[in-house]
Amino acid sequence: MQTKQASIPPEKPNAAPPPRRTLSNLGLRILTALIVMPIILGGALLGGSAWFAIMALMAALGLIEFFNLTRLQAVHGNGLIGLVCGLLLIGGAHLDAPPLWIGALIAAPLLTFIVVLPQRPPVQAFGHAATTLLGVVYIAVPAALLVDLLSKPHGFSWEILIFSITVTTDTAAYFGGRFFGRRQLAPRLSPKKTVEGAISGVAAASIVAITILALSGWLTPATLVMVLIAPPLAVLGDLLESALKRYFHVKDSAVSGINVLPGHGGVLDRIDSLLVVTPFVYACLLLFGYI
């Protein structure tokens, strides 16, 4: 009588090691904010060279990312000229030397045109010059305004107002979209942004800004209009950076190896709202006679 041999189960392949635990994107964003915000606040409190250094670093990283976005296009800016002129512009604001920052604005497109013209037709050289100027105006000018604003009467308080508007808009929009988002805000530019998120960001930032003005004794019809317009501009600033990335066919603005803000798509991803809100608030304060 034959006996059946017990079948030996095949050996299981070595199980893959458990995945390493990593911080979620939200966790990285929170951790980054906890590190960066005290540096920004401390720099603003110290003022002077410390604030200039922080703004110059922020602008330098933003300019590097911007010109990296354009480098694969037929018409692109000159990153080296743009970076040097951008830093000179911010230095002019720090030193209260208008000839320096005016000269930087003139030199950026002019030098680019001169450098490119021997290799490109005049029309393309002009396009390169315009792109270089765009990067300097888009990134370095707001940074220079923040440097200049801190030296004005009550400058620290106005800086707090600007950063409160941009940070609150971005944060509330993120969580509002995460928990309540249903309708896309601009699907062709940024599919993840929602109408509900934008409304949450604008509403929260408006409340925070009005509260700051009221506690400071600066709540007037003029400043009320200013802080009601600024949060929607913060949303538009975010969309503008998304439009730039879409135009240049890139997902993130971050440059490999120098992304100092984990959890974000680059420095431009973090300061896009600031780049639009700062010139608007500065212009309003100048117009209303506060600075």
Side-chain angles (χ1 to χ4, degrees), residues 8-289:
I8 301 175
E11 292 184 3
K12 293 183 179 180
N14 292 332
R20 294 177 61 186
R21 291 179 173 232
T22 58
L23 285 173
S24 66
N25 186 59
L26 175 59
L28 283 173
R29 290 172 72 98
I30 294 174
L31 180 60
T32 300
L34 291 175
I35 295 173
V36 172
M37 290 310 296
I39 296 175
I40 296 292
L41 182 60
L45 283 169
L46 291 173
S49 298
W51 187 235
F52 163 71
I54 291 173
M55 290 296 102
L57 176 61
M58 179 191 78
L61 293 172
L63 285 165
I64 291 171
E65 290 182 2
F66 175 84
F67 289 113
N68 185 66
L69 289 179
T70 72
R71 65 187 175 86
L72 298 179
Q73 304 301 309
V75 175
H76 55 268
N78 187 298
L80 178 59
I81 293 175
L83 178 60
V84 172
C85 289
L87 293 178
L88 286 175
L89 192 151
I90 300 168
H94 173 58
L95 298 173
D96 193 20
L100 186 57
W101 63 261
I102 293 173
L105 283 175
I106 296 173
L110 181 60
L111 291 176
T112 303
F113 185 82
I114 293 173
V115 168
V116 174
L117 187 58
Q119 295 98 22
R120 296 282 192 275
V123 173
Q124 287 192 11
F126 179 81
H128 283 259
T131 304
T132 301
L133 180 61
L134 173 62
V136 173
V137 171
Y138 177 48
I139 298 165
V141 167
L145 293 178
L146 286 170
V147 169
D148 182 67
L149 182 59
L150 194 61
S151 66
K152 303 295 185 184
H154 308 292
F156 179 77
S157 298
W158 295 124
E159 300 266 354
I160 292 297
L161 179 67
I162 290 173
F163 277 94
S164 296
I165 290 172
T166 55
V167 171
T168 304
T169 302
D170 182 69
T171 304
Y174 178 84
F175 285 104
R178 188 181 180 92
F179 293 110
F180 308 111
R182 294 293 182 271
R183 293 168 292 177
Q184 290 179 311
L185 178 64
R188 298 185 65 179
L189 295 180
S190 185
K192 293 183 179 180
K193 292 180 176 62
T194 64
V195 173
E196 293 80 5
I199 293 174
S200 300
V202 169
S206 298
I207 293 171
V208 168
I210 292 171
T211 302
I212 292 174
L213 288 176
L215 293 175
S216 303
W218 293 328
L219 185 58
T220 65
T223 57
L224 177 61
V225 171
M226 178 182 75
V227 298
L228 289 179
I229 295 176
L233 286 179
V235 175
L236 289 176
D238 197 350
L239 292 176
L240 174 61
E241 198 249 348
S242 297
L244 285 174
K245 291 188 292 188
R246 178 75 63 175
Y247 178 78
F248 292 122
H249 307 290
V250 296
K251 181 179 178 182
D252 292 319
S253 62
V255 179
S256 178
I258 62 170
N259 184 16
V260 298
L261 299 177
H264 300 275
V267 171
L268 284 180
D269 182 55
R270 179 70 275 175
I271 66 173
D272 47 16
S273 298
L274 189 67
L275 297 177
V276 175
V277 171
T278 297
F280 171 74
V281 172
Y282 188 96
C284 287
L285 293 176
L286 197 61
L287 179 64
F288 301 152

